[in-house]
């Protein structure tokens, strides 16, 4: 009993620390001159970002990175590893984190404009209703649309089928200085042929090595790759489907094929398990994120994005012209 009381007290202290850190961040955001946000020195931005990261008990990039012990079919999809706060804390964290992502994304775009090849690709995968669209909406709610590209991949079109399976993917990759989000990706061209037997195993299994080489080349060329699988439970998906069916504004998001996929749930889990085993590499690892609590999966992706941008260690590009001369010319008008 004494041990239980001690653990509860420790948890309450940690929760208080989280709220205190979040409150400091919100105070800073409220009282800062918004006109300085874009020109804020990078040191201050990184300091705030590091403080936000300290809210986590452990880095989700470490906790959720795929390894041989991760079994998708046995996961607790309602867990919140590394984040001891509640839903309200998570939402406040996302808002503040988005602010810092905006500053870091502006820095990335500025570097791309002067020749840097640094860029970022976020790949979101998951079963239907796992929350991919919600992550895009919430995490990027405060980001400057200049320098952001979003693309959703569906079934290949007749034109796309005339090319190799990566042709349509290459067309949507981020340009230097840009961030691109893929809602589904090249991995659909492994999982779907496997489930529905549209290609023989020799074809879709042969794509594993092609994708590994493709992603290694991207990273070597300056593109950070974040691959996230939103792991939702079948029961959570059922509840979300019912909500869609009961909401006329969301009927368009539902298709009878979604129910067909539910009937093959174990096959999908096996397919994705093999995808992780074959394509989670040191340069482009998979992160398997519990997604029954959407606020948590959004917080995780926000943390990963901000941490990745911060890790690029970019600086504001220096002027390549004579600043004093430019000022004098303007003053003499």
């Amino acid at each position: 009993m004494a041990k239980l009381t001690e653990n509860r007290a420790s948890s309450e202290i940690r929760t208080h620390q989280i709220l205190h850190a979040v409150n400091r961040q919100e105070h800073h955001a409220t009282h800062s001159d918004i006109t300085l946000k874009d020109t804020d020195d990078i040191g201050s931005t990184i300091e705030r970002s590091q403080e936000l990261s300290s809210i986590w008990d452990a880095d989700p990039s470490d906790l959720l990175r795929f390894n041989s012990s991760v079994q998708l079919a046995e996961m607790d999809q309602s867990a919140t590893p590394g984040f001891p706060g509640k839903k309200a804390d998570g939402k406040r964290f996302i808002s503040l984190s988005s602010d810092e992502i905006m500053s870091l994304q502006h820095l990335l775009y500025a570097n791309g404009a002067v020749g840097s090849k640094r860029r970022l690709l976020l790949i979101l995968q998951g079963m239907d209703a796992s929350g991919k669209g919600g992550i895009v909406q919430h995490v990027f709610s405060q980001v400057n649309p200049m320098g952001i590209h979003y693309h959703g991949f569906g079934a290949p079109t007749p034109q796309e089928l005339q090319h190799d399976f990566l042709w349509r993917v290459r067309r949507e990759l981020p340009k230097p200085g840009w961030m691109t989000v893929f809602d589904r990706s090249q991995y659909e061209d492994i999982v779907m042929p496997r489930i529905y037997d549209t290609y023989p195993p020799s074809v879709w299994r042969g794509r594993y090595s092609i994708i590994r080489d493709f992603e290694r080349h991207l990273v070597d060329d300056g593109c950070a790759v974040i691959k996230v699988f939103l792991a939702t439970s079948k029961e959570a998906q059922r509840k979300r489907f019912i909500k869609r069916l009961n909401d006329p504004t969301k009927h368009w998001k539902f298709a009878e094929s979604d129910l067909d996929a539910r009937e093959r749930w174990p096959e999908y889990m096996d397919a994705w398990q093999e995808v992780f085993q074959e394509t989670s590499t040191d340069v482009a690892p998979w992160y398997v994120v519990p997604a029954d609590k959407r606020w948590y999966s959004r917080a995780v992706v926000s943390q990963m994005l901000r941490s990745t941008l911060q890790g690029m260690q970019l600086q504001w590009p220096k002027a390549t012209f004579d600043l004093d001369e430019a000022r004098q010319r303007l003053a003499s008008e």
Side-chain angles (χ1 to χ4, degrees), residues 23-74:
N23 285 334
R24 284 201 310 271
Q25 290 281 335
E26 287 182 333
H27 177 82
H28 176 87
T30 301
H31 292 85
S32 293
D33 184 347
I34 193 64
T35 63
L36 296 178
K37 190 66 182 177
D38 287 343
T39 57
D40 200 3
D41 74 272
I42 189 59
S44 298
T45 299
I46 290 177
E47 183 179 350
R48 291 194 303 271
S49 185
Q50 289 172 338
E51 185 175 17
L52 267 175
S53 295
S54 71
I55 292 172
W56 294 79
D57 278 340
D59 189 340
S61 294
D62 295 330
L63 292 174
L64 304 175
R65 180 171 177 158
F66 177 79
N67 60 65
S68 58
S69 68
V70 175
Q71 296 296 316
L72 184 57
E74 300 172 6

Side-chain angles (χ1 to χ4, degrees), residues 247-259:
D247 184 350
T249 68
K250 294 185 178 180
H251 289 172
W252 63 274
K253 298 179 71 174
F254 188 85
E256 287 185 298
S257 59
D258 296 338
L259 300 179

Side-chain angles (χ1 to χ4, degrees), residues 70-327:
V70 175
Q71 296 296 316
L72 184 57
E74 300 172 6
M75 278 188 63
D76 178 3
Q77 296 95 340
S78 65
T80 58
F83 195 90
K86 303 298 183 182
K87 182 176 181 179
D89 305 317
K91 287 185 172 182
R92 292 162 71 189
F93 169 83
I94 292 167
S95 176
L96 292 166
S97 184
S98 294
D99 246 6
E100 304 313 321
I101 289 173
M102 178 176 67
S103 294
L104 292 165
Q105 179 246 339
H106 189 185
L107 182 65
L108 176 66
Y109 186 78
N111 277 266
V114 298
S116 170
K117 298 177 74 174
R118 298 312 305 266
R119 54 206 190 276
L120 187 150
L121 172 63
L122 170 64
I123 293 175
L124 298 175
Q125 291 281 175
M127 298 295 283
D128 292 314
S130 59
K132 299 184 293 295
I135 282 179
V136 175
Q137 177 183 349
H138 284 75
V139 173
F140 293 103
S141 60
Q142 299 180 37
V143 175
N144 187 337
M146 178 61 72
I148 298 292
H149 175 57
Y150 166 85
H151 187 79
F153 288 94
T157 65
Q159 181 192 22
E160 291 169 345
L161 288 172
Q162 293 176 8
H163 301 269
D164 73 274
F165 77 102
L166 287 178
W167 179 79
R168 62 176 183 163
V169 174
R170 291 190 182 95
R171 290 161 57 90
E172 304 297 338
L173 289 172
K175 297 178 288 187
W178 284 59
M179 294 170 57
T180 291
V181 185
F182 283 175
D183 183 339
R184 305 186 187 277
S185 66
Q186 61 268 20
Y187 290 99
E188 296 292 311
D189 295 299
I190 291 176
V191 172
M192 300 307 283
R194 171 178 176 154
I195 301 281
Y196 295 98
D197 200 26
T198 52
Y199 290 113
S202 60
V203 172
W204 55 260
R205 279 212 163 95
R207 292 173 173 175
Y208 287 135
S209 61
I210 296 173
I211 287 177
R212 288 195 298 266
D213 290 342
F214 170 67
E215 292 176 348
R216 185 181 304 110
H217 173 74
L218 279 178
V219 174
D220 289 345
D221 195 48
C223 182
V225 178
I226 305 174
K227 301 186 298 189
V228 172
F229 184 87
L230 300 172
T232 188
S233 66
K234 193 174 181 181
E235 176 60 17
Q237 187 198 60
R238 186 185 72 86
K239 291 178 180 179
R240 291 169 185 173
F241 278 173
I242 289 174
K243 285 186 177 180
R244 288 183 181 181
L245 293 173
N246 291 337
D247 184 350
T249 68
K250 294 185 178 180
H251 289 172
W252 63 274
K253 298 179 71 174
F254 188 85
E256 287 185 298
S257 59
D258 296 338
L259 300 179
D260 297 334
R262 279 179 63 80
E263 294 176 357
R264 309 185 77 155
W265 193 276
E267 295 177 65
Y268 275 96
M269 297 301 103
D270 289 344
W272 281 110
Q273 185 75 29
E274 185 171 287
V275 164
F276 304 149
Q277 292 168 348
E278 293 289 339
T279 63
S280 190
T281 63
D282 289 339
V283 296
W286 273 103
Y287 300 99
V288 185
V289 180
D292 277 7
K293 295 179 179 176
R294 288 183 168 176
W295 65 265
Y296 173 75
S297 57
R298 292 165 183 168
V300 167
V301 173
S302 184
Q303 170 66 17
M304 288 182 177
L305 279 171
R306 202 186 68 259
S307 179
T308 299
L309 289 168
Q310 178 185 322
M312 291 182 181
Q313 298 182 327
L314 299 173
Q315 299 293 325
W316 290 110
K318 296 186 182 299
T320 58
F321 52 88
D322 189 320
L323 287 167
D324 290 334
E325 181 182 348
R327 293 189 185 102

